[in-house]
Amino acid sequence: MTAAASDSKRATLARRVEKIVANTPVFDIHTHLYDPAFERLLLWGIDELLVYHYLVAEAFRHLDHPYEQFWALPRTRQAELIWNALFVEHSPLSEACRGVLTTLNLLGLDARKRDLTALRRWFAKQNVEKHLTRCLDLAKVGRVCMTNSPFDDLERPVWEKGFRRDDRFVAALRVDPLLLAWNDTAQRLGGWGYQVGALLTVPVLSEARRFLADWTKRMQAKYLMVSLPPDFRFPEINDCARLIEKAVLPHCREFGLPFALMLGVKRAVNPALGLAGDGVGLADLQSLQNLCAAFPENRFLVTALPRENQHELCVLARKFRNLHVFGCWWFTNVPQVAEEMTRMRLELIGLSVTPQHSDARVLDQLVYKWNHFREILARVLIDQYAGLSRAGWEPTTAEIQRDVNDLFGGAFERFCQVG
Ligand code: RAT
Ligand code: ZN
């Protein structure tokens, strides 16, 4: 083939892949968004976009306010400080800053005048229900998985009271306090009528399971989830490992649910920064290997925060089919790292992976998080399919569509159903 013919073949392939990646609806399997029935817990709008903790951390690189003074300010004032520091006084180059601009742009707003008041005026006119549908449509997100914690005092009463579910939102049961702070959690469970104490005896573990069962049913949870620090080890003689082995994993087997592990987060590296104060540390994937090997009847959904863990995680997924790798989480969700991870995953484990989740905390973020990732995925897939083409294998449009469906939720759904 001449160079010109091969260029034109690649351009045709690129257009096909870009179109499919841009238009395929995605199941966003991990977010911090809420069903609108949770009312004020569903965050949206320009001020929420600006006080996103990713931006708070970046703004403090420039602000000299004492932390407590910043936190004591009204949210609108915090948003203004962040806007000035990150958008007006410096160019908004970081991924989280660029994200705000992508979102505004796709919502049809013109941010070029740097006029926060005008942006606020536009958002003040929106209605949450319509805005929700608009953001989901723009992001082409079909379904959203929430992060649902019975330990959250704002969230719990809504579940207890009951509400009519919006079928675009599914639940995931988050259990960090149960596994990471058993002593305090035991007291709370006691207050809610579970017969538990500090010592993890057989009857106490069975009460912990009753708690998990009650909340799994109440939420109709799709999976259980926890985030774990770098020093997490399994097996180990401590409350966390015992609760995983004797309560969480049997519960997941009984209900046929995967257990999601988000590995390598160092909480409160700088507590004064609040949510923005968490860091990263290498996770021990030997412990994950031990879990996958010891509990073949359980399924593990896993994402890791450190860039340095990504290769080993892919290799582990080649060894254990009860391990499903997902997402470019948090600090890895920057184009450079996300692209490298996505390439590596496809090269090592093919299409049995869910390469991204949004982790959106503010509704409008769905728009940029998916827009940015779709660009990355299209680039990676074009290279992969072009490689196949050079090897004499021409993927059909239907095959490309099938593959993208898998990457955008199909593979995840299948993984959740097996078992
Ligand atoms: O990415 C984030 O927003 C973090 O704050 C965390 O919430 C993380 O995603 C988590 O689920 O623990
Ligand atoms: Zn999250």
Side-chain angles (χ1 to χ4, degrees), residues 101-120:
L101 300 177
T102 301
T103 292
L104 295 175
N105 197 23
L106 291 173
L107 284 170
L109 293 164
D110 184 354
R112 278 176 305 183
K113 292 206 188 79
R114 283 100 167 123
D115 184 352
L116 181 55
T117 313
L119 297 172
R120 282 176 165 162

Side-chain angles (χ1 to χ4, degrees), residues 149-378:
S149 174
F151 303 101
D152 183 312
D153 293 334
L154 298 175
E155 180 175 345
R156 192 179 54 259
V158 183
W159 288 111
E160 283 170 342
K161 189 157 165 260
F163 60 94
R164 205 190 138 103
R165 299 284 292 258
D166 180 323
D167 58 16
R168 295 169 295 185
F169 288 79
V170 299
L173 172 54
R174 184 82 177 229
V175 296
D176 293 29
L178 182 86
L179 296 183
L180 298 172
W182 172 250
N183 278 347
D184 294 345
T185 301
Q187 291 195 13
R188 299 191 77 189
L189 293 193
W192 298 335
Y194 297 92
Q195 306 296 307
V196 295
L199 227 52
L200 289 170
T201 59
V202 171
V204 167
L205 287 161
S206 124
E207 281 294 272
R209 277 185 71 175
R210 185 163 72 84
F211 167 78
L212 293 173
D214 288 347
W215 280 94
T216 296
K217 286 186 231 155
R218 181 171 284 139
M219 293 173 171
Q220 294 168 263
K222 197 147 176 82
Y223 58 87
L224 268 73
M225 69 186 311
V226 68
S227 69
L228 293 165
D231 61 5
F232 168 71
R233 295 289 180 275
F234 191 94
E236 181 69 286
I237 303 172
N238 63 19
D239 291 346
C240 177
R242 188 161 165 79
L243 279 156
I244 288 179
E245 182 177 352
K246 304 288 184 197
V248 172
L249 294 180
H251 167 79
C252 286
R253 291 194 294 272
E254 183 187 342
F255 282 78
L257 299 179
F259 182 32
L261 303 167
M262 304 178 80
L263 303 173
V265 55
K266 239 190 227 172
R267 294 290 180 195
V269 167
N270 181 355
L273 276 173
L275 260 191
D278 298 338
V280 58
L282 199 67
D284 175 49
L285 295 191
Q286 178 63 52
S287 295
L288 176 62
Q289 178 185 321
N290 298 340
L291 282 166
C292 292
F295 302 100
E297 306 299 318
N298 280 95
R299 278 160 295 139
F300 301 94
L301 291 162
V302 177
T303 196
L305 198 49
R307 183 187 193 179
E308 297 76 5
N309 276 135
Q310 303 305 328
H311 185 257
E312 190 181 352
L313 180 58
C314 287
V315 175
L316 260 191
R318 296 172 64 89
K319 311 299 143 194
F320 294 100
R321 60 186 162 171
N322 59 339
L323 167 58
H324 186 88
V325 173
F326 76 96
C328 301
W329 181 25
W330 202 347
F331 310 117
T332 64
N333 191 10
V334 290
Q336 169 91 6
V337 181
E339 181 156 341
E340 162 189 296
M341 281 167 63
T342 305
R343 280 185 199 282
M344 184 160 61
R345 287 165 170 185
L346 293 185
E347 287 171 7
L348 276 166
I349 41 184
L351 295 155
S352 61
V353 61
T354 301
Q356 191 56 308
H357 66 270
S358 77
D359 236 311
R361 282 178 181 265
V362 181
L363 173 57
D364 319 64
Q365 289 168 345
L366 289 175
V367 177
Y368 91 78
K369 300 232 187 197
W370 285 108
N371 176 277
H372 290 189
F373 185 69
R374 284 176 200 270
E375 274 177 16
I376 291 172
L377 183 64

Side-chain angles (χ1 to χ4, degrees), residues 59 69 87 99 127 181 191 205 238 359 394:
Q69 199 187 78
F87 292 79
N127 133 312
L205 287 161
N238 63 19
D359 236 311
E394 304 295 343

Side-chain angles (χ1 to χ4, degrees), residues 32 34 64 70 185 218 356 360 389 395-396:
H32 297 265
Y34 287 92
D64 48 20
F70 176 85
T185 301
R218 181 171 284 139
Q356 191 56 308
S389 172
T396 67

